[in-house]
Structures are given as structure tokens and as C-alpha cells.
Amino acid sequence: MNANPFSEKRFSFEFSAPKSEDATRRLKKVHDRLCEFYPHFFSVTYGAGGSTKDGTRQAVLDIKQAGSEVAPHLSFGGDSREKVERLLLEYKNAGINRIVALRGDAPSGMSSSGNLIHADKLVTFIREKTGDHFHIEVAAYPETHPESTSVDSDLKYFKQKVDAGANGAITQYFYNADAYFRFVDSCRKLQVDVPIVPGIMPITNYRGLVRFSNNCGAEIPRWVVQHLQTYENDPESMKSFADEVVADLCRRLLEGGAPGIHFYTLNKSMPTIRIWRNLGL
Ligand code: FAD
């Protein structure tokens, strides 16, 4: 029997907070299906893409209740310190011990992110209020955060989040493994030693992906775009090409030393499962 070469790696699955009862029911099914793969934890976004924050809280508590480890995403996002503290304590009392701490983005239509509170401040706040209870992860950007003025300043602020008390990081998605390896090298040179887990986005909807990637600064390599364009009216070829590209990326990352993979599941089970199988996990 072949031993799984990645058995020591850590895999996690991200959900977007559901926005309706129907979406909540569907997400439960996706959660149950993905449980078969024994993820390290599930995470649930907070206020992303206009989702309700209450939807996050409820989804997090439901996942915990179902017996899975769960990491709520959290940001100040205009809320008072008291409100954020109450939520932290509710999570703590529910036995949740992970948090993904973020700044978040301004709601679409509002261009300025100037009033948003940076993630390093949230990490400091969580440590102040709950000590070492939570394992805190923050966001990292191998291709540099789109609002950053330079690679160096982005690295400096990333280090600031870790110095404030983050235990690890999950990256924005990317399709260029070299960007990840260089980013990790740069962090290590700055004595940032926490695990940096690549966030991986399955490719399911070519046009949606291009739009989203333009906003969040993720580059889709030209050769990938050209293949996706070619297969736009051939869903089966598109699916098998996309799955293979993403599985190859995951394999390269894991073989190159990435501590695991965080899958952006898009609240569907099959895109992640296809990559999982392609990887032979
Ligand atoms: P920050 O770390 O605050 O950085 C934002 C920008 O400001 C960067 O350019 C950075 O270089 C700079 N900066 C950082 N600190 C400082 C400082 N102290 N002073 C000056 N400049 C600074 N969004 C959601 O709305 N909800 C979610 O649930 C969500 N989940 C995510 C999960 C992951 C794994 C990732 C990678 C992203 C997620 N996002 C989510 C998107 C994220 O909120 C955006 O990318 C946002 O623009 C930046 O968030 P951040 O936590 O990285 O911010």
C-alpha cells in the first residue's frame, strides 16, 4: 500500500457565511460531505461580499455543534470594541479556540478603506481580552496586498500582525507557486517563523474568477487564462483542465514545504473533492 506523502499536512475548508435559510441547509450538507475528509478545521467568513455577520455567528455555532473544529473569521468592521468582545466571549464559551483575524474590506460601492481597523490591532485586542485562548491566524499576500505601497511595507505590516500575537497565516489565493515560496523566504529572513498555509481557490467559473481576481490582486497566469478561454463552451474540458492545474499547484506547494492547504470551497463540496482526489489524498 502506498503511504500518503501528505499525511502530516494540515487541510482546512473555508465557507462563506450563508445568507438565507436555504443556503444554510445547503451548507450543512456540504459540511457533512466534507467531514468525510477529516479536515483540521472549517472556517467561516465574516461580512465578506456583503454577507451578514449574524450568518457567520450562527454557521460557526452550528458547525461546532455538529462536532467539527471551526475558526470564525472576525474583523472590527465598524463594530464597537464591546460588541467584538461579546462575540469573542461567546465563541470562547462555546468551546471555539481558533480565530482568523482580519481588517476586512469596505462594502462594495464604498471605495475608501481608510476607516477600517488594521488586523494587527484586532490581534492585539483579542490577546488583551482573551489571553492565549485563541489560536489566531491572519491573512498573508504572496502577490502583495492590492492596497500596499510596496512589497516591503506589506511584509513589514504582515510581521506586525505576527508580532502582535498571531500564531499562523492563511494566504490569499494565487496560481503561481513561486510567489508563495518567495514570500515565505522573505518572511523567514525577517524572523517571521509562523506556519503560512496557502489558500487555494478551485477554478469553477472562469469569468467570475477573473472579476474577483482583479479586485483582490490575484494573478491568473496568461497560459491558464488562454486555456480557460478556449474551453469556455466545453464544460468537461474546462473542469478537467482547471482541476489538474489546481491539483498540480497544490502538489508543488506541499512537496516544496507548505504546511498544508486551506481550500476556499465556494460553499460547494465537489470542486474541493475533485482536487483532493487528483492529489491522491
Ligand atoms: P491588514 O493586515 O490590515 O492589511 C490591509 C492593508 O493595509 C495592506 O495593504 C497592509 O500592507 C496595510 N497595513 C496592514 N497593517 C497596517 C498598519 N498597521 N498601518 C498601515 N497599513 C497597514 N474579508 C472579509 O471581509 N471577510 C472575511 O471573512 C475575509 N476572510 C479572508 C480570509 C483570508 C485567508 C484572506 C487572505 C482574506 C480574507 N478577507 C476577508 C479579505 C481581507 O479582509 C482583505 O484582503 C482586506 O483588504 C485586508 O485584510 P487584512 O486582514 O489582510 O488587512
Side-chain angles (χ1 to χ4, degrees):
M1 196 174 80
N2 283 339
N4 176 354
F6 304 133
S7 58
E8 299 301 311
K9 307 280 186 180
R10 159 212 127 154
F11 297 94
S12 47
F13 298 139
E14 178 171 317
F15 293 145
S16 305
K19 293 186 194 169
S20 66
E21 281 182 20
D22 215 30
T24 302
R25 271 193 296 277
R26 283 198 305 272
L27 191 61
K28 183 181 174 340
K29 284 192 186 147
V30 174
H31 163 265
D32 293 350
R33 180 80 173 93
L34 289 176
C35 275
E36 291 171 27
F37 300 90
Y38 299 104
H40 216 65
F41 64 92
F42 292 89
S43 82
V44 185
T45 63
Y46 192 61
S51 62
T52 67
K53 293 176 174 175
D54 244 15
T56 303
R57 178 184 155 279
Q58 196 53 54
V60 163
L61 297 175
D62 289 348
I63 291 171
K64 184 69 188 168
Q65 180 82 35
S68 298
E69 286 307 311
V70 60
H73 295 202
L74 185 65
S75 57
F76 276 112
D79 291 337
S80 68
R81 291 164 66 89
E82 290 71 25
K83 184 172 175 187
V84 175
E85 183 177 358
R86 270 200 305 279
L87 188 55
L88 278 170
L89 294 179
E90 187 176 6
Y91 286 149
K92 184 177 171 191
N93 292 335
I96 290 158
N97 52 20
R98 308 186 77 104
I99 291 275
V100 181
L102 301 145
R103 181 198 73 173
D105 285 315
S108 52
M110 286 174 59
S111 54
S112 171
S113 52
N115 293 331
L116 298 171
I117 299 176
H118 286 294
D120 62 323
K121 309 283 186 305
L122 179 59
V123 175
T124 303
F125 181 78
I126 298 170
R127 288 291 175 233
E128 253 173 48
K129 298 297 175 191
T130 58
D132 285 337
H133 176 79
F134 288 104
H135 178 100
I136 305 176
E137 283 176 290
V138 289
Y141 300 85
E143 295 180 314
T144 310
H145 185 267
E147 290 163 33
S148 258
T149 48
S150 72
V151 172
D152 285 349
S153 83
D154 208 28
L155 277 166
K156 177 183 99 177
Y157 289 126
F158 176 63
K159 178 172 164 53
Q160 213 158 289
K161 295 195 271 195
V162 174
D163 291 346
N167 304 97
I170 302 171
T171 75
Q172 181 57 281
Y173 71 87
F174 56 88
Y175 295 102
N176 181 349
D178 291 330
Y180 170 81
F181 291 124
R182 175 167 280 271
F183 178 77
V184 173
D185 276 354
S186 305
C187 290
R188 303 309 180 225
K189 283 183 190 142
L190 294 173
Q191 275 77 53
V192 176
D193 292 325
V194 296
I196 299 170
V197 175
I200 293 294
M201 178 75 88
I203 302 174
T204 55
N205 169 345
Y206 160 60
R207 284 179 188 272
L209 182 72
V210 169
R211 212 173 28 250
F212 193 53
S213 302
N214 284 339
N215 289 337
C216 71
E219 186 185 64
I220 314 175
R222 188 177 136 81
W223 67 273
V224 174
V225 170
Q226 281 177 328
H227 278 77
L228 294 174
Q229 275 171 347
T230 304
Y231 297 139
E232 219 181 342
N233 297 317
D234 177 357
E236 278 313 305
S237 302
M238 166 86 88
K239 209 193 292 181
S240 72
F241 171 77
D243 290 349
E244 218 174 285
V245 166
V246 179
D248 282 349
L249 171 68
C250 293
R251 193 172 296 110
R252 216 185 133 202
L253 292 166
L254 293 168
E255 287 173 355
I261 299 282
H262 180 79
F263 287 98
Y264 295 108
T265 67
L266 305 162
N267 290 11
K268 295 181 177 143
S269 56
M270 277 325 286
T272 299
I273 292 175
R274 287 200 307 270
I275 295 165
W276 189 275
R277 291 192 175 136
N278 218 314
L279 269 171
L281 285 169

